[in-house]
């Protein structure tokens, strides 16, 4: 019997976003930092949304944040994710300022949970940033 489940969509890597994806492959969460005002921006874009400057550098972030909002999906909205339900979707507030959507890989999720980034290799050389709970020492 042949598996007819479609493959999960993969990110499209371009010259503009390659430093982000190269960082993920290296175990680092990298985002653009405006050279003019210092705003850290995500998603990747050509202009700073605060001051409209075009100059930026790539900054490695701590990868720490907290759950700002979350939802649990009990129905796959793409057939490739049918085997994953239920799965969570979280909006992570990074300590450096940006917010990003991702998943928490290690259990139940509540608003305010402290998280740290982990990288999940989903295809050869492609690592997705996901998050796990920060363990109390």
């Amino acid at each position: 019997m042949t598996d007819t489940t479609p493959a999960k969509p993969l990110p499209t890597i371009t010259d503009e976003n390659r430093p982000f994806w190269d960082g993920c492959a290296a175990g680092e969460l990298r985002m653009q930092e405006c050279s003019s005002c210092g705003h850290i921006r995500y998603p990747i874009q050509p202009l700073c949304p605060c001051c409209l400057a075009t100059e930026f550098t790539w900054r490695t972030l701590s990868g720490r944040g907290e759950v700002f909002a979350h939802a649990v999906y009990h129905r796959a909205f793409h057939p490739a994710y049918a085997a994953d339900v239920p799965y969570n979707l979280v909006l992570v507030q990074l300590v450096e300022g940006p917010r990003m959507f991702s998943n928490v890989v290690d259990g139940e999720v509540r608003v305010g949970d402290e998280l740290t980034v982990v990288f999940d290799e989903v295809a050869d050389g492609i690592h997705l940033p996901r998050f796990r709970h920060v363990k109390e020492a």
Side-chain angles (χ1 to χ4, degrees):
M1 186 167 177
T2 307
D3 183 11
T4 59
T5 304
K8 291 180 180 176
L10 296 173
T12 300
I13 299 176
T14 65
D15 289 341
E16 290 77 25
N17 68 23
R18 187 173 308 283
F20 174 83
W21 295 110
D22 287 348
C24 291
E28 297 178 348
L29 187 61
R30 298 178 188 161
M31 293 188 182
Q32 297 170 311
E33 181 175 32
C34 178
S35 297
S36 181
C37 72
H39 177 75
I40 299 172
R41 61 187 191 241
Y42 185 81
I44 297 155
Q45 51 195 302
L47 296 174
C48 176
C50 292
C51 73
L52 302 180
T54 57
E55 294 78 27
F56 64 89
T57 58
W58 286 94
R59 177 174 166 193
T60 300
L61 305 184
S62 68
R64 295 180 65 94
E66 69 176 42
V67 176
F68 184 82
H70 71 95
V72 176
Y73 285 82
H74 294 276
R75 177 179 175 191
F77 288 94
H78 186 286
Y81 295 91
D84 297 338
V85 292
Y87 58 88
N88 63 62
L89 175 67
V90 295
L91 181 57
V92 179
Q93 174 71 60
L94 298 170
V95 297
E96 292 86 357
R99 293 179 182 155
M100 68 183 298
F101 286 104
S102 188
N103 309 101
V104 173
V105 298
D106 67 344
E108 292 186 27
V109 179
R110 289 186 221 73
V111 170
D113 285 356
E114 291 184 47
L115 305 172
T116 190
V117 73
V118 294
F119 297 93
D120 183 12
E121 187 171 15
V122 295
D124 188 32
I126 298 178
H127 296 72
L128 296 181
R130 306 252 166 104
F131 289 83
R132 66 172 171 78
H133 290 91
V134 172
K135 305 295 183 209
E136 298 290 327

